[in-house]
Structures are given as structure tokens and as C-alpha cells.
Amino acid sequence: MTRTILVTGGAGYIGSHTSVLLLQRGFDIVIADDLSNSSLRAVETIEVLGDRRVAFEEVDLTDQAAVAGVFDRHPIEGVIHFAGVKAVGESVQEPLRYYRTNLTSAMNLLDEMAAHEVWDLVFSSSATVYGDPEMLPIDESAPTRPTNPYGRTKLMIEDICRDVARADRRWRINLLRYFNPIGAHSSGDLGEDPRGIPNNLVPFVMQVAVGRRQQVEVFGNDWDTPDGTGVRDYIHVLDLAEGHLAALDHLETGCDELNLGTGHGASVFEVIKTTENVSGKAIPFEVVDRRAGDIACSLAEVSKANRRLDWRADRNLEVMLSDAWRWQSKHPEGYGD
Ligand code: UFG
């Protein structure tokens, strides 16, 4: 029998890529999304690429009755929870909105899952729970001390999940701590479409390459890294999406934390250079002051996920950036809404 999976935030960047793979793997999916930072066009594209229909529910997860309705209408057997607000800077400006949205949504979802006897959950956490790491690479036992409200919502939801799984042994939860997801679907028709000015490096670089912005601001070249610019563990969004399917296949009683990254780092300058190579466009940049709250380097220890999920991220930086460029050059204005 086909399993039905609820994908919250399924119209968003990582959720949409994961949804395509779920359809291709034969799952039925229900996407619950409030479209506050995503587009219905992504849902249409998911159906084209996945070659199947999706049940779409436009709901705000902070409304518990609305969440209950989704479970009443569909035979849901597992949940992948992506939905949430996720901009670091905004979370510092509007902490209450971040706590209310992310925590209330998670609690409503867990409540309704239990009420409907659904115990399988994969949660979208973040490497941001580690804050400024003491040691590299970062393994799952490293101290967690996020440096902003957004990161704290991720850690608090992790804590809630650990507590519910301790209280009731029917829960099977995997908490996935993503490093830096970039890239796009290889068709070039699904990708990241940030509203307003992109906060993150790769969407910004892509908008410069396509001519929507003048130049990249490099936030510091005096970091303690080989070329002085920040180093991150970038992971292809399709490798990450495959990690979610593996996480769903490898749920165990209780609650477990898993890093999803590649274990390899790339600097800001390497990202700019590689984008110039794959796009054939010049990327003008200017070095400016460090951004508040940034760290020099973030790198995942990935052996736990490799072993437990029988999964590995193997697309390299060139593939990540050429796929991001295919999406950006085919859809210069993103989904166009
Ligand atoms: N950077 C620039 N210029 C820009 C944007 C970024 O030089 O315009 C640099 C940053 O200083 C950093 C690197 O590019 O060295 C990557 O920055 P991103 O903003 O793309 O990614 P972060 O690692 O800062 O943030 C990401 C996620 C957050 C998450 C965080 C920690 O976007 O959601 O990782 O896990 F909280």
C-alpha cells in the first residue's frame, strides 16, 4: 500500500525538492504550506517533475484546528516538517514572531500527529544549533548554543521532540541538522527563490551573475581561513532531499540527531570563482566589513549520517553551482510572483 506523507513547507526550497523525490519514489504526498515565502508554481512544477498529483493544503500551522483538518482529510502516516520562518537577521529584529511561529507550529503538529496516531517524523533542523563551534568538523555531540532567536527555535523544537519521544515510545523521530544547502533541481525548473534581497551567499551571487544586482559584498577577508573569507559546508539540495528519504526509511524508536553535509568546505572566493567558471559571467565583488554573528568556518562530521542512513552527499561544488545557474538563467525572476 502506498504511504502518504505530509510535507509541511513543501512548496519551499528544500521541501519542493524533497517532494519531487517522494513522488518519484511512489509516496503519496500532502503539501501543507501557507505560501508566505513560497509559490504555488513550485507545487505545479513538483507535479510535473514527479509525474503525479499532489494534495495541496494552504494552511497556517499556528492554527491548530486547521492542522487537525489536514489530518482528518488525509490518511497521513508520516510527516516531514520543513515549514517555518528562517531568516537569521529578521529573527533578531522580531524574536516573538519567530518563537510564536516556529514553536506553535511544531507543537500543533506534534499534538495532531499524536491525536491521529502518526508517530513518524523527520524534522528540518539546522547546523545553526551549534553556534560558533569549538572544534571542526562538528559532530552531533558538539555543544549546542545557537547565537540568534532563529537558531534557538530550532534547538527548542529539537528539545521538544526529544522530550515527547522520551515520554511515549511510539515516536520515531530523526532531527536533521543541515549545513548550507545550495543548488537546484537538474531540470533548472525548481530552485531557491528568496523574496527581496537574498541574505545568503549563493542566491546573491546568482542574481549578480544574471544581472539583477551589481556586485557581491564579501563579508570580510580577514577570517582565520586559507583565503581569509568564510568557509562553509555547502550541500546540494538534491543530496539533502535524498537525505530526507533516507531518514524516513531509517526511523528508529526514539529521537536522533543527524548532520547532513558533505564534510568539505568552500570559501566565499571559491564560490565566486566557480560561479564565474560555470556561468561564463564576471562576478564583480567588494570586500566589506564582517557581518555580525558570522563565524569563520563551519564543517560537518558526516560519518553518523553516512552510517545510520546509508546515505552520502556526493555532488560537488561545481555541480551545485552549475545547477543553481541553470535555474537562475532559465528563471531570472524566480517563480515570478
Ligand atoms: N557571505 C558574503 N556575502 C553575502 C552573503 C554571505 O560574503 O552577501 C558570506 C558569509 O559571511 C559566510 C558565507 O558567505 O561566510 C555563507 O553565508 P550564508 O549567509 O550563505 O550562510 P550562513 O552560513 O551564514 O547561514 C546558513 C543558513 C542559516 C543558518 C546558518 C548556520 O542560511 O539559516 O547557515 O547553520 F542559520
Side-chain angles (χ1 to χ4, degrees), residues 86 88 126-128 150 180 199-201 204 216-219 230 232 234 268 291 294:
K86 58 167 194 173
V88 173
S126 168
T128 197
Y150 158 70
N180 288 59
N199 294 306
N200 298 114
L201 178 65
F204 203 104
V216 179
E217 294 190 333
V218 175
F219 298 145
R232 295 292 181 275
Y234 295 100
V268 175
R291 178 172 65 180
D294 268 355

mmCIF file with all atom_site columns, all heavy atoms in Angstrom, residues 86 88 126-128 150 180 199-201 204 216-219 230 232 234 268 291 294, ligand 1:
data_model
loop_
_atom_site.group_PDB
_atom_site.id
_atom_site.type_symbol
_atom_site.label_atom_id
_atom_site.label_alt_id
_atom_site.label_comp_id
_atom_site.label_asym_id
_atom_site.label_entity_id
_atom_site.label_seq_id
_atom_site.pdbx_PDB_ins_code
_atom_site.Cartn_x
_atom_site.Cartn_y
_atom_site.Cartn_z
_atom_site.occupancy
_atom_site.B_iso_or_equiv
_atom_site.pdbx_formal_charge
_atom_site.auth_seq_id
_atom_site.auth_comp_id
_atom_site.auth_asym_id
_atom_site.auth_atom_id
_atom_site.pdbx_PDB_model_num
ATOM   1   N N   . LYS A 1 86  ? 12.772 31.592 8.761  1.00 0.00 ? 86  LYS A N   1
ATOM   2   C CA  . LYS A 1 86  ? 14.158 31.114 8.768  1.00 0.00 ? 86  LYS A CA  1
ATOM   3   C C   . LYS A 1 86  ? 15.228 32.162 8.502  1.00 0.00 ? 86  LYS A C   1
ATOM   4   O O   . LYS A 1 86  ? 16.364 31.800 8.200  1.00 0.00 ? 86  LYS A O   1
ATOM   5   C CB  . LYS A 1 86  ? 14.281 29.995 7.729  1.00 0.00 ? 86  LYS A CB  1
ATOM   6   C CG  . LYS A 1 86  ? 13.873 30.458 6.333  1.00 0.00 ? 86  LYS A CG  1
ATOM   7   C CD  . LYS A 1 86  ? 14.283 29.472 5.260  1.00 0.00 ? 86  LYS A CD  1
ATOM   8   C CE  . LYS A 1 86  ? 14.175 30.119 3.900  1.00 0.00 ? 86  LYS A CE  1
ATOM   9   N NZ  . LYS A 1 86  ? 14.695 29.341 2.808  1.00 0.00 ? 86  LYS A NZ  1
ATOM   10  N N   . VAL A 1 88  ? 17.893 34.701 9.714  1.00 0.00 ? 88  VAL A N   1
ATOM   11  C CA  . VAL A 1 88  ? 18.613 34.977 10.956 1.00 0.00 ? 88  VAL A CA  1
ATOM   12  C C   . VAL A 1 88  ? 18.439 36.429 11.403 1.00 0.00 ? 88  VAL A C   1
ATOM   13  O O   . VAL A 1 88  ? 18.057 36.703 12.547 1.00 0.00 ? 88  VAL A O   1
ATOM   14  C CB  . VAL A 1 88  ? 20.117 34.651 10.782 1.00 0.00 ? 88  VAL A CB  1
ATOM   15  C CG1 . VAL A 1 88  ? 20.915 35.101 11.996 1.00 0.00 ? 88  VAL A CG1 1
ATOM   16  C CG2 . VAL A 1 88  ? 20.311 33.162 10.523 1.00 0.00 ? 88  VAL A CG2 1
ATOM   17  N N   . SER A 1 126 ? 18.926 22.528 11.918 1.00 0.00 ? 126 SER A N   1
ATOM   18  C CA  . SER A 1 126 ? 19.966 23.302 11.233 1.00 0.00 ? 126 SER A CA  1
ATOM   19  C C   . SER A 1 126 ? 21.273 23.208 11.990 1.00 0.00 ? 126 SER A C   1
ATOM   20  O O   . SER A 1 126 ? 21.288 23.119 13.232 1.00 0.00 ? 126 SER A O   1
ATOM   21  C CB  . SER A 1 126 ? 19.524 24.764 11.175 1.00 0.00 ? 126 SER A CB  1
ATOM   22  O OG  . SER A 1 126 ? 20.590 25.594 10.779 1.00 0.00 ? 126 SER A OG  1
ATOM   23  N N   . ALA A 1 127 ? 22.373 23.303 11.250 1.00 0.00 ? 127 ALA A N   1
ATOM   24  C CA  . ALA A 1 127 ? 23.690 23.381 11.876 1.00 0.00 ? 127 ALA A CA  1
ATOM   25  C C   . ALA A 1 127 ? 23.808 24.636 12.728 1.00 0.00 ? 127 ALA A C   1
ATOM   26  O O   . ALA A 1 127 ? 24.724 24.749 13.551 1.00 0.00 ? 127 ALA A O   1
ATOM   27  C CB  . ALA A 1 127 ? 24.770 23.384 10.808 1.00 0.00 ? 127 ALA A CB  1
ATOM   28  N N   . THR A 1 128 ? 22.891 25.559 12.547 1.00 0.00 ? 128 THR A N   1
ATOM   29  C CA  . THR A 1 128 ? 22.901 26.777 13.349 1.00 0.00 ? 128 THR A CA  1
ATOM   30  C C   . THR A 1 128 ? 22.746 26.465 14.839 1.00 0.00 ? 128 THR A C   1
ATOM   31  O O   . THR A 1 128 ? 23.128 27.273 15.683 1.00 0.00 ? 128 THR A O   1
ATOM   32  C CB  . THR A 1 128 ? 21.799 27.742 12.849 1.00 0.00 ? 128 THR A CB  1
ATOM   33  O OG1 . THR A 1 128 ? 22.063 29.041 13.342 1.00 0.00 ? 128 THR A OG1 1
ATOM   34  C CG2 . THR A 1 128 ? 20.427 27.312 13.260 1.00 0.00 ? 128 THR A CG2 1
ATOM   35  N N   . TYR A 1 150 ? 16.342 32.646 15.731 1.00 0.00 ? 150 TYR A N   1
ATOM   36  C CA  . TYR A 1 150 ? 16.013 31.606 14.751 1.00 0.00 ? 150 TYR A CA  1
ATOM   37  C C   . TYR A 1 150 ? 16.656 30.274 15.154 1.00 0.00 ? 150 TYR A C   1
ATOM   38  O O   . TYR A 1 150 ? 15.995 29.230 15.226 1.00 0.00 ? 150 TYR A O   1
ATOM   39  C CB  . TYR A 1 150 ? 16.490 32.022 13.344 1.00 0.00 ? 150 TYR A CB  1
ATOM   40  C CG  . TYR A 1 150 ? 16.667 30.867 12.403 1.00 0.00 ? 150 TYR A CG  1
ATOM   41  C CD1 . TYR A 1 150 ? 15.564 30.174 11.928 1.00 0.00 ? 150 TYR A CD1 1
ATOM   42  C CD2 . TYR A 1 150 ? 17.938 30.431 12.022 1.00 0.00 ? 150 TYR A CD2 1
ATOM   43  C CE1 . TYR A 1 150 ? 15.728 29.079 11.087 1.00 0.00 ? 150 TYR A CE1 1
ATOM   44  C CE2 . TYR A 1 150 ? 18.108 29.352 11.183 1.00 0.00 ? 150 TYR A CE2 1
ATOM   45  C CZ  . TYR A 1 150 ? 17.003 28.675 10.724 1.00 0.00 ? 150 TYR A CZ  1
ATOM   46  O OH  . TYR A 1 150 ? 17.169 27.590 9.906  1.00 0.00 ? 150 TYR A OH  1
ATOM   47  N N   . ASN A 1 180 ? 24.944 23.959 4.683  1.00 0.00 ? 180 ASN A N   1
ATOM   48  C CA  . ASN A 1 180 ? 24.475 25.056 3.816  1.00 0.00 ? 180 ASN A CA  1
ATOM   49  C C   . ASN A 1 180 ? 23.913 24.537 2.488  1.00 0.00 ? 180 ASN A C   1
ATOM   50  O O   . ASN A 1 180 ? 24.682 24.302 1.550  1.00 0.00 ? 180 ASN A O   1
ATOM   51  C CB  . ASN A 1 180 ? 25.616 26.042 3.550  1.00 0.00 ? 180 ASN A CB  1
ATOM   52  C CG  . ASN A 1 180 ? 25.966 26.883 4.761  1.00 0.00 ? 180 ASN A CG  1
ATOM   53  O OD1 . ASN A 1 180 ? 26.323 26.348 5.809  1.00 0.00 ? 180 ASN A OD1 1
ATOM   54  N ND2 . ASN A 1 180 ? 25.848 28.185 4.638  1.00 0.00 ? 180 ASN A ND2 1
ATOM   55  N N   . ASN A 1 199 ? 19.623 36.967 1.619  1.00 0.00 ? 199 ASN A N   1
ATOM   56  C CA  . ASN A 1 199 ? 20.534 37.009 2.770  1.00 0.00 ? 199 ASN A CA  1
ATOM   57  C C   . ASN A 1 199 ? 21.736 36.109 2.526  1.00 0.00 ? 199 ASN A C   1
ATOM   58  O O   . ASN A 1 199 ? 22.802 36.338 3.071  1.00 0.00 ? 199 ASN A O   1
ATOM   59  C CB  . ASN A 1 199 ? 19.845 36.447 4.029  1.00 0.00 ? 199 ASN A CB  1
ATOM   60  C CG  . ASN A 1 199 ? 18.708 37.318 4.484  1.00 0.00 ? 199 ASN A CG  1
ATOM   61  O OD1 . ASN A 1 199 ? 18.894 38.516 4.692  1.00 0.00 ? 199 ASN A OD1 1
ATOM   62  N ND2 . ASN A 1 199 ? 17.527 36.742 4.613  1.00 0.00 ? 199 ASN A ND2 1
ATOM   63  N N   . ASN A 1 200 ? 21.519 35.058 1.759  1.00 0.00 ? 200 ASN A N   1
ATOM   64  C CA  . ASN A 1 200 ? 22.540 34.020 1.642  1.00 0.00 ? 200 ASN A CA  1
ATOM   65  C C   . ASN A 1 200 ? 23.420 34.230 0.422  1.00 0.00 ? 200 ASN A C   1
ATOM   66  O O   . ASN A 1 200 ? 23.016 34.832 -0.562 1.00 0.00 ? 200 ASN A O   1
ATOM   67  C CB  . ASN A 1 200 ? 21.891 32.638 1.611  1.00 0.00 ? 200 ASN A CB  1
ATOM   68  C CG  . ASN A 1 200 ? 21.141 32.359 2.899  1.00 0.00 ? 200 ASN A CG  1
ATOM   69  O OD1 . ASN A 1 200 ? 19.925 32.238 2.902  1.00 0.00 ? 200 ASN A OD1 1
ATOM   70  N ND2 . ASN A 1 200 ? 21.859 32.304 3.997  1.00 0.00 ? 200 ASN A ND2 1
ATOM   71  N N   . LEU A 1 201 ? 24.633 33.707 0.542  1.00 0.00 ? 201 LEU A N   1
ATOM   72  C CA  . LEU A 1 201 ? 25.652 33.980 -0.472 1.00 0.00 ? 201 LEU A CA  1
ATOM   73  C C   . LEU A 1 201 ? 25.249 33.528 -1.881 1.00 0.00 ? 201 LEU A C   1
ATOM   74  O O   . LEU A 1 201 ? 25.320 34.309 -2.829 1.00 0.00 ? 201 LEU A O   1
ATOM   75  C CB  . LEU A 1 201 ? 26.970 33.294 -0.065 1.00 0.00 ? 201 LEU A CB  1
ATOM   76  C CG  . LEU A 1 201 ? 28.113 33.472 -1.065 1.00 0.00 ? 201 LEU A CG  1
ATOM   77  C CD1 . LEU A 1 201 ? 28.540 34.929 -1.161 1.00 0.00 ? 201 LEU A CD1 1
ATOM   78  C CD2 . LEU A 1 201 ? 29.305 32.593 -0.681 1.00 0.00 ? 201 LEU A CD2 1
ATOM   79  N N   . PHE A 1 204 ? 22.558 35.346 -3.804 1.00 0.00 ? 204 PHE A N   1
ATOM   80  C CA  . PHE A 1 204 ? 23.046 36.695 -4.119 1.00 0.00 ? 204 PHE A CA  1
ATOM   81  C C   . PHE A 1 204 ? 24.001 36.644 -5.319 1.00 0.00 ? 204 PHE A C   1
ATOM   82  O O   . PHE A 1 204 ? 23.862 37.411 -6.279 1.00 0.00 ? 204 PHE A O   1
ATOM   83  C CB  . PHE A 1 204 ? 23.741 37.319 -2.900 1.00 0.00 ? 204 PHE A CB  1
ATOM   84  C CG  . PHE A 1 204 ? 23.767 38.815 -2.957 1.00 0.00 ? 204 PHE A CG  1
ATOM   85  C CD1 . PHE A 1 204 ? 22.904 39.571 -2.183 1.00 0.00 ? 204 PHE A CD1 1
ATOM   86  C CD2 . PHE A 1 204 ? 24.635 39.483 -3.823 1.00 0.00 ? 204 PHE A CD2 1
ATOM   87  C CE1 . PHE A 1 204 ? 22.900 40.966 -2.265 1.00 0.00 ? 204 PHE A CE1 1
ATOM   88  C CE2 . PHE A 1 204 ? 24.634 40.860 -3.915 1.00 0.00 ? 204 PHE A CE2 1
ATOM   89  C CZ  . PHE A 1 204 ? 23.770 41.608 -3.131 1.00 0.00 ? 204 PHE A CZ  1
ATOM   90  N N   . VAL A 1 216 ? 28.751 41.526 -5.557 1.00 0.00 ? 216 VAL A N   1
ATOM   91  C CA  . VAL A 1 216 ? 28.644 40.796 -4.293 1.00 0.00 ? 216 VAL A CA  1
ATOM   92  C C   . VAL A 1 216 ? 29.442 41.547 -3.233 1.00 0.00 ? 216 VAL A C   1
ATOM   93  O O   . VAL A 1 216 ? 30.548 42.032 -3.509 1.00 0.00 ? 216 VAL A O   1
ATOM   94  C CB  . VAL A 1 216 ? 29.234 39.374 -4.437 1.00 0.00 ? 216 VAL A CB  1
ATOM   95  C CG1 . VAL A 1 216 ? 29.140 38.614 -3.117 1.00 0.00 ? 216 VAL A CG1 1
ATOM   96  C CG2 . VAL A 1 216 ? 28.553 38.613 -5.559 1.00 0.00 ? 216 VAL A CG2 1
ATOM   97  N N   . GLU A 1 217 ? 28.885 41.657 -2.051 1.00 0.00 ? 217 GLU A N   1
ATOM   98  C CA  . GLU A 1 217 ? 29.662 42.167 -0.920 1.00 0.00 ? 217 GLU A CA  1
ATOM   99  C C   . GLU A 1 217 ? 30.226 40.959 -0.190 1.00 0.00 ? 217 GLU A C   1
ATOM   100 O O   . GLU A 1 217 ? 29.476 40.082 0.257  1.00 0.00 ? 217 GLU A O   1
ATOM   101 C CB  . GLU A 1 217 ? 28.779 42.980 0.026  1.00 0.00 ? 217 GLU A CB  1
ATOM   102 C CG  . GLU A 1 217 ? 28.274 44.256 -0.612 1.00 0.00 ? 217 GLU A CG  1
ATOM   103 C CD  . GLU A 1 217 ? 27.598 45.197 0.378  1.00 0.00 ? 217 GLU A CD  1
ATOM   104 O OE1 . GLU A 1 217 ? 27.061 44.690 1.396  1.00 0.00 ? 217 GLU A OE1 1
ATOM   105 O OE2 . GLU A 1 217 ? 27.633 46.403 0.141  1.00 0.00 ? 217 GLU A OE2 1
ATOM   106 N N   . VAL A 1 218 ? 31.541 40.900 -0.086 1.00 0.00 ? 218 VAL A N   1
ATOM   107 C CA  . VAL A 1 218 ? 32.191 39.794 0.628  1.00 0.00 ? 218 VAL A CA  1
ATOM   108 C C   . VAL A 1 218 ? 32.382 40.246 2.076  1.00 0.00 ? 218 VAL A C   1
ATOM   109 O O   . VAL A 1 218 ? 33.074 41.242 2.330  1.00 0.00 ? 218 VAL A O   1
ATOM   110 C CB  . VAL A 1 218 ? 33.542 39.442 -0.027 1.00 0.00 ? 218 VAL A CB  1
ATOM   111 C CG1 . VAL A 1 218 ? 34.278 38.386 0.789  1.00 0.00 ? 218 VAL A CG1 1
ATOM   112 C CG2 . VAL A 1 218 ? 33.336 38.986 -1.464 1.00 0.00 ? 218 VAL A CG2 1
ATOM   113 N N   . PHE A 1 219 ? 31.762 39.513 2.986  1.00 0.00 ? 219 PHE A N   1
ATOM   114 C CA  . PHE A 1 219 ? 31.758 39.943 4.388  1.00 0.00 ? 219 PHE A CA  1
ATOM   115 C C   . PHE A 1 219 ? 33.051 39.567 5.101  1.00 0.00 ? 219 PHE A C   1
ATOM   116 O O   . PHE A 1 219 ? 33.081 38.670 5.943  1.00 0.00 ? 219 PHE A O   1
ATOM   117 C CB  . PHE A 1 219 ? 30.554 39.350 5.130  1.00 0.00 ? 219 PHE A CB  1
ATOM   118 C CG  . PHE A 1 219 ? 29.215 39.788 4.584  1.00 0.00 ? 219 PHE A CG  1
ATOM   119 C CD1 . PHE A 1 219 ? 28.127 38.907 4.584  1.00 0.00 ? 219 PHE A CD1 1
ATOM   120 C CD2 . PHE A 1 219 ? 29.020 41.066 4.079  1.00 0.00 ? 219 PHE A CD2 1
ATOM   121 C CE1 . PHE A 1 219 ? 26.883 39.295 4.101  1.00 0.00 ? 219 PHE A CE1 1
ATOM   122 C CE2 . PHE A 1 219 ? 27.779 41.475 3.584  1.00 0.00 ? 219 PHE A CE2 1
ATOM   123 C CZ  . PHE A 1 219 ? 26.709 40.582 3.586  1.00 0.00 ? 219 PHE A CZ  1
ATOM   124 N N   . GLY A 1 230 ? 35.000 33.477 4.566  1.00 0.00 ? 230 GLY A N   1
ATOM   125 C CA  . GLY A 1 230 ? 34.284 32.462 5.333  1.00 0.00 ? 230 GLY A CA  1
ATOM   126 C C   . GLY A 1 230 ? 34.179 31.133 4.587  1.00 0.00 ? 230 GLY A C   1
ATOM   127 O O   . GLY A 1 230 ? 33.958 31.105 3.376  1.00 0.00 ? 230 GLY A O   1
ATOM   128 N N   . ARG A 1 232 ? 32.237 27.405 4.335  1.00 0.00 ? 232 ARG A N   1
ATOM   129 C CA  . ARG A 1 232 ? 31.012 26.683 4.700  1.00 0.00 ? 232 ARG A CA  1
ATOM   130 C C   . ARG A 1 232 ? 30.990 25.319 4.022  1.00 0.00 ? 232 ARG A C   1
ATOM   131 O O   . ARG A 1 232 ? 31.603 25.114 2.969  1.00 0.00 ? 232 ARG A O   1
ATOM   132 C CB  . ARG A 1 232 ? 29.769 27.456 4.246  1.00 0.00 ? 232 ARG A CB  1
ATOM   133 C CG  . ARG A 1 232 ? 29.566 28.797 4.941  1.00 0.00 ? 232 ARG A CG  1
ATOM   134 C CD  . ARG A 1 232 ? 29.216 28.636 6.415  1.00 0.00 ? 232 ARG A CD  1
ATOM   135 N NE  . ARG A 1 232 ? 28.998 29.920 7.067  1.00 0.00 ? 232 ARG A NE  1
ATOM   136 C CZ  . ARG A 1 232 ? 29.959 30.683 7.591  1.00 0.00 ? 232 ARG A CZ  1
ATOM   137 N NH1 . ARG A 1 232 ? 31.225 30.297 7.532  1.00 0.00 ? 232 ARG A NH1 1
ATOM   138 N NH2 . ARG A 1 232 ? 29.660 31.827 8.177  1.00 0.00 ? 232 ARG A NH2 1
ATOM   139 N N   . TYR A 1 234 ? 28.889 23.461 1.940  1.00 0.00 ? 234 TYR A N   1
ATOM   140 C CA  . TYR A 1 234 ? 27.731 23.561 1.044  1.00 0.00 ? 234 TYR A CA  1
ATOM   141 C C   . TYR A 1 234 ? 27.307 22.165 0.610  1.00 0.00 ? 234 TYR A C   1
ATOM   142 O O   . TYR A 1 234 ? 28.155 21.322 0.305  1.00 0.00 ? 234 TYR A O   1
ATOM   143 C CB  . TYR A 1 234 ? 28.077 24.424 -0.182 1.00 0.00 ? 234 TYR A CB  1
ATOM   144 C CG  . TYR A 1 234 ? 28.363 25.855 0.196  1.00 0.00 ? 234 TYR A CG  1
ATOM   145 C CD1 . TYR A 1 234 ? 29.678 26.321 0.319  1.00 0.00 ? 234 TYR A CD1 1
ATOM   146 C CD2 . TYR A 1 234 ? 27.324 26.739 0.479  1.00 0.00 ? 234 TYR A CD2 1
ATOM   147 C CE1 . TYR A 1 234 ? 29.946 27.629 0.699  1.00 0.00 ? 234 TYR A CE1 1
ATOM   148 C CE2 . TYR A 1 234 ? 27.575 28.053 0.855  1.00 0.00 ? 234 TYR A CE2 1
ATOM   149 C CZ  . TYR A 1 234 ? 28.892 28.486 0.967  1.00 0.00 ? 234 TYR A CZ  1
ATOM   150 O OH  . TYR A 1 234 ? 29.149 29.783 1.358  1.00 0.00 ? 234 TYR A OH  1
ATOM   151 N N   . VAL A 1 268 ? 34.142 31.838 0.349  1.00 0.00 ? 268 VAL A N   1
ATOM   152 C CA  . VAL A 1 268 ? 33.356 32.790 -0.448 1.00 0.00 ? 268 VAL A CA  1
ATOM   153 C C   . VAL A 1 268 ? 34.036 33.011 -1.804 1.00 0.00 ? 268 VAL A C   1
ATOM   154 O O   . VAL A 1 268 ? 33.374 33.000 -2.855 1.00 0.00 ? 268 VAL A O   1
ATOM   155 C CB  . VAL A 1 268 ? 33.185 34.133 0.308  1.00 0.00 ? 268 VAL A CB  1
ATOM   156 C CG1 . VAL A 1 268 ? 32.470 35.158 -0.565 1.00 0.00 ? 268 VAL A CG1 1
ATOM   157 C CG2 . VAL A 1 268 ? 32.437 33.917 1.622  1.00 0.00 ? 268 VAL A CG2 1
ATOM   158 N N   . ARG A 1 291 ? 30.043 40.465 8.735  1.00 0.00 ? 291 ARG A N   1
ATOM   159 C CA  . ARG A 1 291 ? 28.632 40.552 9.120  1.00 0.00 ? 291 ARG A CA  1
ATOM   160 C C   . ARG A 1 291 ? 28.490 40.095 10.576 1.00 0.00 ? 291 ARG A C   1
ATOM   161 O O   . ARG A 1 291 ? 29.097 39.084 10.964 1.00 0.00 ? 291 ARG A O   1
ATOM   162 C CB  . ARG A 1 291 ? 27.815 39.642 8.183  1.00 0.00 ? 291 ARG A CB  1
ATOM   163 C CG  . ARG A 1 291 ? 26.339 39.576 8.481  1.00 0.00 ? 291 ARG A CG  1
ATOM   164 C CD  . ARG A 1 291 ? 25.581 38.824 7.386  1.00 0.00 ? 291 ARG A CD  1
ATOM   165 N NE  . ARG A 1 291 ? 25.944 37.412 7.285  1.00 0.00 ? 291 ARG A NE  1
ATOM   166 C CZ  . ARG A 1 291 ? 25.410 36.554 6.407  1.00 0.00 ? 291 ARG A CZ  1
ATOM   167 N NH1 . ARG A 1 291 ? 24.491 36.983 5.550  1.00 0.00 ? 291 ARG A NH1 1
ATOM   168 N NH2 . ARG A 1 291 ? 25.787 35.302 6.372  1.00 0.00 ? 291 ARG A NH2 1
ATOM   169 N N   . ASP A 1 294 ? 28.517 36.251 12.172 1.00 0.00 ? 294 ASP A N   1
ATOM   170 C CA  . ASP A 1 294 ? 29.124 35.231 11.306 1.00 0.00 ? 294 ASP A CA  1
ATOM   171 C C   . ASP A 1 294 ? 30.267 34.510 12.012 1.00 0.00 ? 294 ASP A C   1
ATOM   172 O O   . ASP A 1 294 ? 30.844 35.017 12.975 1.00 0.00 ? 294 ASP A O   1
ATOM   173 C CB  . ASP A 1 294 ? 29.655 35.878 10.015 1.00 0.00 ? 294 ASP A CB  1
ATOM   174 C CG  . ASP A 1 294 ? 28.618 35.868 8.904  1.00 0.00 ? 294 ASP A CG  1
ATOM   175 O OD1 . ASP A 1 294 ? 27.537 35.283 9.100  1.00 0.00 ? 294 ASP A OD1 1
ATOM   176 O OD2 . ASP A 1 294 ? 28.898 36.443 7.828  1.00 0.00 ? 294 ASP A OD2 1
HETATM 177 N N1  . UFG B 2 .   ? 28.528 35.977 2.640  1.00 0.00 ? 1   UFG B N1  1
HETATM 178 C C1  . UFG B 2 .   ? 29.102 37.041 1.977  1.00 0.00 ? 1   UFG B C1  1
HETATM 179 N N2  . UFG B 2 .   ? 28.296 37.905 1.296  1.00 0.00 ? 1   UFG B N2  1
HETATM 180 C C2  . UFG B 2 .   ? 26.928 37.757 1.242  1.00 0.00 ? 1   UFG B C2  1
HETATM 181 C C3  . UFG B 2 .   ? 26.346 36.658 1.935  1.00 0.00 ? 1   UFG B C3  1
HETATM 182 C C4  . UFG B 2 .   ? 27.172 35.798 2.630  1.00 0.00 ? 1   UFG B C4  1
HETATM 183 O O1  . UFG B 2 .   ? 30.321 37.220 2.000  1.00 0.00 ? 1   UFG B O1  1
HETATM 184 O O2  . UFG B 2 .   ? 26.240 38.579 0.614  1.00 0.00 ? 1   UFG B O2  1
HETATM 185 C C5  . UFG B 2 .   ? 29.407 35.014 3.329  1.00 0.00 ? 1   UFG B C5  1
HETATM 186 C C6  . UFG B 2 .   ? 29.137 34.844 4.807  1.00 0.00 ? 1   UFG B C6  1
HETATM 187 O O3  . UFG B 2 .   ? 29.875 35.759 5.549  1.00 0.00 ? 1   UFG B O3  1
HETATM 188 C C7  . UFG B 2 .   ? 29.547 33.393 5.033  1.00 0.00 ? 1   UFG B C7  1
HETATM 189 C C8  . UFG B 2 .   ? 29.205 32.699 3.718  1.00 0.00 ? 1   UFG B C8  1
HETATM 190 O O4  . UFG B 2 .   ? 29.128 33.743 2.759  1.00 0.00 ? 1   UFG B O4  1
HETATM 191 O O5  . UFG B 2 .   ? 30.940 33.322 5.208  1.00 0.00 ? 1   UFG B O5  1
HETATM 192 C C9  . UFG B 2 .   ? 27.886 31.963 3.741  1.00 0.00 ? 1   UFG B C9  1
HETATM 193 O O6  . UFG B 2 .   ? 26.847 32.828 4.177  1.00 0.00 ? 1   UFG B O6  1
HETATM 194 P P1  . UFG B 2 .   ? 25.308 32.427 4.065  1.00 0.00 ? 1   UFG B P1  1
HETATM 195 O O7  . UFG B 2 .   ? 24.512 33.596 4.548  1.00 0.00 ? 1   UFG B O7  1
HETATM 196 O O8  . UFG B 2 .   ? 25.019 31.899 2.716  1.00 0.00 ? 1   UFG B O8  1
HETATM 197 O O9  . UFG B 2 .   ? 25.184 31.183 5.049  1.00 0.00 ? 1   UFG B O9  1
HETATM 198 P P2  . UFG B 2 .   ? 25.392 31.131 6.634  1.00 0.00 ? 1   UFG B P2  1
HETATM 199 O O10 . UFG B 2 .   ? 26.365 30.035 6.876  1.00 0.00 ? 1   UFG B O10 1
HETATM 200 O O11 . UFG B 2 .   ? 25.687 32.421 7.230  1.00 0.00 ? 1   UFG B O11 1
HETATM 201 O O12 . UFG B 2 .   ? 23.901 30.765 7.098  1.00 0.00 ? 1   UFG B O12 1
HETATM 202 C C10 . UFG B 2 .   ? 23.413 29.480 6.884  1.00 0.00 ? 1   UFG B C10 1
HETATM 203 C C11 . UFG B 2 .   ? 21.877 29.485 6.810  1.00 0.00 ? 1   UFG B C11 1
HETATM 204 C C12 . UFG B 2 .   ? 21.281 29.859 8.120  1.00 0.00 ? 1   UFG B C12 1
HETATM 205 C C13 . UFG B 2 .   ? 21.889 29.057 9.215  1.00 0.00 ? 1   UFG B C13 1
HETATM 206 C C14 . UFG B 2 .   ? 23.387 29.142 9.180  1.00 0.00 ? 1   UFG B C14 1
HETATM 207 C C15 . UFG B 2 .   ? 24.096 28.321 10.206 1.00 0.00 ? 1   UFG B C15 1
HETATM 208 O O13 . UFG B 2 .   ? 21.423 30.402 5.853  1.00 0.00 ? 1   UFG B O13 1
HETATM 209 O O14 . UFG B 2 .   ? 19.902 29.595 8.079  1.00 0.00 ? 1   UFG B O14 1
HETATM 210 O O15 . UFG B 2 .   ? 23.829 28.696 7.913  1.00 0.00 ? 1   UFG B O15 1
HETATM 211 O O16 . UFG B 2 .   ? 23.850 26.986 10.008 1.00 0.00 ? 1   UFG B O16 1
HETATM 212 F F1  . UFG B 2 .   ? 21.440 29.550 10.398 1.00 0.00 ? 1   UFG B F1  1
#
